[in-house]
Amino acid sequence: MPQGQIASVAIISGLANGMLLALINSGAENVLNKNIETHVFLLYITAFILYIYTQKYALSQASIALETAIRKVRVRIVNKIRHTELLFIENIGGYSEIYSKLTQDSSIISQAIIFVVFSVQSTIVLIFSLLYIAWLSPLSFLISIIILGTTVFWRITTNKLATQALKKANKKEIRFFRTLNHILEGFKEIKINHRKSDDVFQQAEQISIETEQLKVTASIKFIDILIIARVAFYILLPFLVFILPLYSMISTDIIFKVTTATLFIIGPINLITVTEPMLSRTNVALNGIYDLEKKLDNAINSHSDSFITDPPDKFQMIKFSEVTFNYFDKQGERLFSITPTNLSIQQGELLFIVGGNGSGKSTLLKLLTGLYYPTSGSIYIDDEKIDHTTYQSYRELFAIIFTDFHLFDRLYGLHDVDEKQLKNLLNLMELTKKTKYIDGKFSHIDLSTGQKKRLAFISSVLEDKQIYIFDELAADQDPHFKKRFYEEILLDLKRQGKTVIAVTHDDHYFHVADRILKMEYGKLIDYNGSI
């Protein structure tokens, strides 16, 4: 249902609610005059039914519209995440911000819709009641506007301070989730080091205390808003009932009606005031989601390689020409570099890459697979230079298992799985007793690290790509399987015409490789000398 229609129905509901006030006053006046008019009662029943129906309709449709909007935003952001670049995901500082925006903030927005609709309706009732007071007594209306206007001005100022505190608290909560991730993902490390455990916990505790203080500050500001609204009402009421009749020639009948109208607006004023904290939190949540989406848009626009075509059926050579890459910190200082690199990889070659931790092996693989863009230099497939229009097609050449790989429970991207081949691979990887492929997914993926790597290997083989990259895949395997991996499995892939690149430290099996390269401090050299 369009937003305009929802707003229109909410306005009608508010008007119907306001009509009840006028009809109640009219009916009360008739009773005082001992003049019972049935049509006033019938109008009241009609306005009451209209109010109930339109209120439920507006709330229901608004809830449906909001949940649809949240779903679309979530899906849109998830889609943008998959189209952004690896470097952006790595630099975002963990996934806490993304999880927070798509779960916690979305939940806050979802919960706010009923309050928003009630607030709109209450605003209409308040306006109608004030107009009714103006019709009864312009002076009463003027006094009401002065007192309520002063209150609104003070509330706006206080609400800004509360919202600022909420924004700071929101950022603190993201930091808390990051610290929680340290505890969960680094559980083994902190379990054997009580000092590290204490420090991480103290960090989490300190962030929680700071968050608490900010939220308390915001809550107190919102309480101030609520209190001042009620104070304003209880100042307005005696002004109209006790003081105004002393200085103005207003009949008792008018005073009675103005008092009734004033009592009638306390409900809408309280509801609007109570809704304000929810609306402020919703505003902070919306801004957070918009900020995340803006970051994603900027990251996507900076490298718009959304063109997807099929990779070449065959290639002869992949070549690096003076390729460099630099890591920078947030201040723009260079942290690590891949020096100008020239490299040629032949189709069907079995290549080993060695090097110490931090030497640049993983960065080299990310450049090779197109996950990173070179800072300078070019990558060629045969004689064709890879650019932003062909990067995704180039990436489709590869199946890769990094050391920090993710194991999917389904064979995503494979719509026609050869279950006989899959069964043979499970047997080859000695996993038939550990997991099975049932109803389109693996029954168990809670395996040891070595077993997870073997299951990831199965998934990569089924993808049937031209180039396979394995980053320390054999590192967590037993000697028996390690020997089979190097002397049978890798050689079998080579016999199939696949290009295989393996990062390894297993020098006992270096004889299997056609060529061995070494990374040292960002520089690629031949294992037996300079390239």
Side-chain angles (χ1 to χ4, degrees):
M1 185 178 184
Q3 294 177 355
Q5 288 180 279
I6 295 173
S8 298
V9 173
I11 290 171
I12 292 171
S13 179
L15 290 173
N17 195 4
M19 281 291 296
L20 295 175
L21 167 63
L23 292 169
I24 284 290
N25 266 347
S26 178
E29 184 178 8
N30 289 336
V31 171
L32 288 174
N33 296 329
K34 298 181 180 181
N35 180 23
I36 306 300
E37 295 187 13
T38 306
H39 75 277
V40 175
F41 176 70
L42 293 176
L43 282 174
Y44 178 86
I45 294 299
T46 303
F48 176 73
I49 292 173
L50 180 63
Y51 165 68
I52 294 298
Y53 174 78
T54 52
Q55 186 174 72
K56 180 179 179 180
Y57 191 79
L59 287 170
S60 300
Q61 293 301 320
S63 296
I64 293 170
L66 181 67
E67 293 303 329
T68 300
I70 290 174
R71 185 258 302 169
K72 288 181 178 179
V73 168
R74 277 180 168 175
V75 171
R76 187 170 71 238
I77 289 178
V78 170
N79 189 41
K80 288 180 179 181
I81 288 171
R82 74 189 183 99
H83 283 107
T84 191
E85 299 301 328
L86 175 62
L87 201 58
F88 170 81
I89 297 296
E90 291 176 342
N91 290 339
I92 201 171
Y95 308 135
S96 303
E97 181 177 355
I98 295 174
Y99 286 137
S100 174
K101 298 295 182 286
L102 295 185
T103 55
Q104 184 175 335
D105 288 359
S106 296
S107 178
I108 290 172
I109 296 169
S110 179
Q111 293 168 8
I113 186 59
I114 294 177
F115 293 95
V116 171
V117 174
F118 276 135
S119 183
V120 170
Q121 293 174 342
S122 297
T123 302
I124 299 300
V125 173
L126 182 59
I127 293 171
F128 184 91
S129 300
L130 289 173
L131 291 176
Y132 180 65
I133 292 173
W135 177 71
L136 291 171
S137 169
L139 184 57
S140 300
F141 172 75
L142 180 61
I143 293 171
S144 300
I145 288 297
I146 291 172
I147 294 176
L148 294 178
T150 303
T151 303
V152 168
F153 176 78
W154 186 87
R155 284 169 59 185
I156 290 172
T157 304
T158 306
N159 188 62
K160 284 182 180 179
L161 297 174
T163 302
Q164 289 173 2
L166 283 177
K167 288 180 179 179
K168 292 178 181 178
N170 195 45
K171 291 179 180 179
K172 292 287 184 182
E173 286 194 326
I174 292 173
R175 285 186 57 198
F176 175 80
F177 288 135
R178 288 175 184 168
T179 307
L180 179 60
N181 281 341
H182 286 318
I183 293 174
L184 295 175
E185 295 176 4
F187 189 81
K188 296 186 294 295
E189 289 80 358
I190 68 173
K191 196 66 178 175
I192 62 172
N193 186 332
H194 79 276
R195 291 182 178 177
K196 181 181 290 186
S197 176
D198 290 345
D199 283 350
V200 175
F201 173 73
Q202 287 172 9
Q203 173 80 353
E205 186 178 35
Q206 180 61 34
I207 293 171
S208 296
I209 292 171
E210 292 171 0
T211 304
E212 175 193 9
Q213 292 171 345
L214 288 167
K215 287 188 173 182
V216 166
T217 299
S219 296
I220 290 174
K221 294 296 181 185
F222 288 131
I223 291 170
D224 289 343
I225 291 173
L226 179 61
I227 295 299
I228 197 65
R230 297 193 174 182
V231 168
F233 173 77
Y234 287 110
I235 290 175
L236 175 61
L237 197 59
F239 249 103
L240 298 177
V241 175
F242 300 116
I243 300 174
L244 185 60
L246 297 177
Y247 299 97
S248 177
M249 299 297 295
I250 299 179
S251 67
T252 304
D253 180 51
I254 295 298
I255 290 295
F256 172 76
K257 290 180 179 179
V258 169
T259 303
T260 303
T262 305
L263 289 170
F264 194 79
I265 66 176
I266 188 172
I269 288 176
N270 283 338
L271 186 56
I272 293 170
T273 305
V274 170
T275 302
E276 205 154 0
M278 177 64 73
L279 294 181
S280 296
R281 290 185 174 91
T282 302
N283 184 52
V284 172
L286 282 170
N287 287 335
I289 291 175
Y290 290 150
D291 181 60
L292 173 61
E293 193 161 13
K294 185 178 180 180
K295 289 179 182 177
L296 289 167
D297 288 336
N298 291 337
I300 292 171
N301 292 335
S302 64
H303 288 101
S304 55
D305 54 27
S306 57
F307 301 91
I308 301 177
T309 57
D310 292 331
D313 293 332
K314 291 289 182 182
F315 73 94
Q316 297 302 316
M317 181 175 63
I318 291 175
K319 185 173 72 173
F320 275 27
S321 176
E322 296 295 313
V323 169
T324 68
F325 182 81
N326 298 313
Y327 284 106
F328 296 96
D329 62 17
K330 293 182 179 179
Q331 287 71 42
E333 295 293 328
R334 188 166 60 186
L335 300 175
F336 178 80
S337 297
I338 297 291
T339 59
T341 300
N342 295 297
L343 170 67
S344 297
I345 299 174
Q346 303 295 326
Q347 189 273 332
E349 186 175 15
L350 177 53
L351 177 67
F352 282 3
I353 297 176
V354 300
N357 292 334
S359 61
K361 301 187 301 298
S362 294
T363 302
L364 178 68
L365 295 183
K366 291 170 184 176
L367 284 167
L368 178 61
T369 54
L371 293 172
Y372 283 172
Y373 299 98
T375 303
S376 64
S378 301
I379 301 176
Y380 294 84
I381 179 165
D382 295 332
D383 295 323
E384 182 182 352
K385 180 180 177 180
I386 305 302
D387 58 27
H388 291 315
T389 64
T390 54
Y391 247 99
Q392 185 56 44
S393 301
Y394 170 71
R395 292 171 185 144
E396 297 292 331
L397 290 169
F398 297 89
I400 184 165
I401 303 176
F402 283 107
T403 53
D404 58 348
F405 71 99
H406 177 77
L407 181 62
F408 295 94
D409 64 339
R410 297 174 184 270
L411 295 172
Y412 291 106
L414 296 174
H415 300 152
D416 297 309
V417 179
D418 185 339
E419 297 203 17
K420 182 178 180 181
Q421 181 189 12
L422 175 56
K423 186 176 181 180
N424 290 336
L425 285 169
L426 285 170
N427 184 57
L428 177 67
M429 294 292 112
E430 301 176 5
L431 293 175
T432 51
K433 295 181 179 179
K434 301 296 181 180
T435 189
K436 300 188 182 300
Y437 189 69
I438 302 172
D439 296 330
K441 66 178 182 179
F442 293 109
S443 58
H444 297 92
I445 60 171
D446 186 18
L447 309 170
S448 69
T449 302
Q451 291 165 348
K452 285 182 178 179
K453 285 184 175 182
R454 282 183 258 162
L455 193 56
F457 175 84
I458 292 173
S459 299
S460 67
V461 168
L462 290 171
E463 291 177 4
D464 193 28
K465 296 298 183 75
Q466 296 187 49
I467 306 172
Y468 288 87
I469 297 180
F470 306 119
D471 190 354
E472 298 285 4
L473 190 141
D476 299 286
Q477 311 298 335
D478 60 67
H480 163 73
F481 183 83
K482 187 176 291 189
K483 179 178 176 65
R484 179 192 290 184
F485 174 74
Y486 285 111
E487 296 186 348
E488 297 180 26
I489 295 173
L490 293 186
L491 291 176
D492 184 58
L493 288 172
K494 178 179 169 62
R495 279 191 293 271
Q496 295 175 36
K498 307 295 184 182
T499 304
V500 181
I501 301 168
V503 174
T504 179
H505 291 96
D506 293 319
D507 52 3
H508 293 300
Y509 301 100
F510 279 4
H511 64 278
V512 174
D514 296 323
R515 190 160 49 119
I516 303 173
L517 303 178
K518 185 177 183 180
M519 285 295 294
E520 283 188 352
Y521 306 108
K523 184 178 181 180
L524 185 66
I525 60 174
D526 188 86
Y527 186 63
N528 297 315
S530 179
I531 284 183

